[in-house]
Amino acid sequence: MKIDANTISILKNFSKINPSIIINPGNVLRTVSITKTIMAKANVTTVFDRKFAIYNLDRFISTLSLFNEPELDFKEKFVTVSEGNKKTNYVYADEETIKVKPPEKDIVLPSVDVSFKLTNDNLKNVEKALSVLGLPEIVVSGDGTNINLQAADVKNPSGDVYSIVIGETDKTFKAVFKSENIKIIPGDYDVSICSKGISYFKNDTVEYFIAVESTSSF
């Protein structure tokens, strides 16, 4: 079998969330960060026929890059990656070495207190502002009129803030995210935020549950 480019893209993104992964039979990939502040799920086009564990996902992806169009044969203890006269056997990890595993059941938000559409352009602009201004957090705030996407430092309320209006609201709130927790594949997302401290980012390809910081207010 082959692993298509879409699936490779998802695996690369998931490796930034957790360097290890357990892949189950089927076409659903799941991961969770070591700190359990990010959980992700994706329905991919590649269908896997057995369960296996990869301890170093970046290394596995780099192994595939040694071949132009690798063919994979998943055996009991390793996968044979081959093309023409080239091949390698990549040994699976022991599942017990992967201490943090994603839940098998889907998560459901207890409530939806804020919802909006997040475009890739708006997120990239805010991420650039984080770098330029040296700010640590992404904030989604409502002032009773507009929803604002911001680069900010909530510990320094009088400091620099970069802001983009992304929607309308009649609510007043402030949802704070650590910038390093926004590890999502580029794209446009429907976002829902729960005041209980969790958010949900979803598009046609992938979905993420991301922790909202305790400095938030609703």
Side-chain angles (χ1 to χ4, degrees):
M1 63 169 285
K2 296 182 185 295
I3 299 182
D4 64 86
N6 167 265
T7 305
I8 293 294
S9 176
I10 294 291
L11 289 172
K12 286 180 178 178
N13 173 251
F14 281 15
S15 72
K16 296 176 183 178
I17 297 171
N18 189 324
S20 305
I21 194 169
I22 295 175
I23 295 178
N24 289 296
N27 69 328
V28 178
L29 300 178
R30 299 176 189 263
T31 192
V32 63
S33 64
I34 302 299
T35 57
K36 298 185 178 180
T37 54
I38 313 167
M39 197 206 80
K41 171 188 171 184
N43 292 302
V44 296
T45 45
T46 299
V47 180
F48 296 92
D49 59 7
R50 70 161 61 239
K51 185 178 183 179
F52 62 96
I54 300 293
Y55 186 77
N56 188 330
L57 188 50
D58 278 337
R59 183 171 179 265
F60 176 68
I61 294 168
S62 295
T63 299
L64 298 183
S65 72
L66 295 172
F67 306 84
N68 292 319
E69 294 186 9
E71 186 74 28
L72 285 79
D73 183 9
F74 291 92
K75 302 182 184 298
E76 183 178 356
K77 294 185 178 181
F78 60 86
V79 54
T80 298
V81 186
S82 63
E83 181 185 29
N85 62 351
K86 301 178 296 183
K87 77 170 185 177
T88 186
N89 291 334
Y90 194 98
V91 180
Y92 308 138
D94 184 336
E95 287 185 33
E96 296 305 313
T97 64
I98 300 176
K99 302 301 183 183
V100 181
K101 303 176 179 68
E104 294 184 3
K105 294 184 178 180
D106 290 339
I107 296 175
V108 178
L109 293 185
S111 63
V112 175
D113 299 290
V114 178
S115 60
F116 59 94
K117 291 188 178 296
L118 176 64
T119 67
N120 185 59
D121 285 345
N122 285 339
L123 179 59
K124 291 306 174 188
N125 284 334
V126 165
E127 289 177 333
K128 183 177 180 179
L130 289 171
S131 177
V132 170
L133 298 174
L135 299 170
E137 290 142 341
I138 293 175
V139 177
V140 180
S141 68
D143 57 14
T145 302
N146 294 318
I147 299 175
N148 303 286
L149 181 68
Q150 302 172 320
D153 182 351
V154 297
K155 292 182 179 179
N156 183 16
S158 62
D160 297 326
V161 176
Y162 176 88
S163 187
I164 305 172
V165 175
I166 59 170
E168 299 178 349
T169 184
D170 58 359
K171 299 177 180 178
T172 301
F173 60 89
K174 180 176 68 175
V176 181
F177 298 87
K178 289 183 178 178
S179 59
E180 61 265 29
N181 283 343
I182 308 299
K183 298 178 179 179
I184 61 178
I185 284 181
D188 298 341
Y189 288 84
D190 292 316
V191 182
S192 302
I193 300 176
C194 173
S195 60
K196 302 294 184 183
I198 190 169
S199 65
Y200 178 51
F201 291 64
K202 183 182 187 303
N203 65 17
D204 292 338
T205 303
V206 63
E207 54 192 83
Y208 303 86
F209 289 90
I210 302 173
V212 180
E213 297 302 301
S214 60
T215 47
S216 304
S217 59
F218 294 89

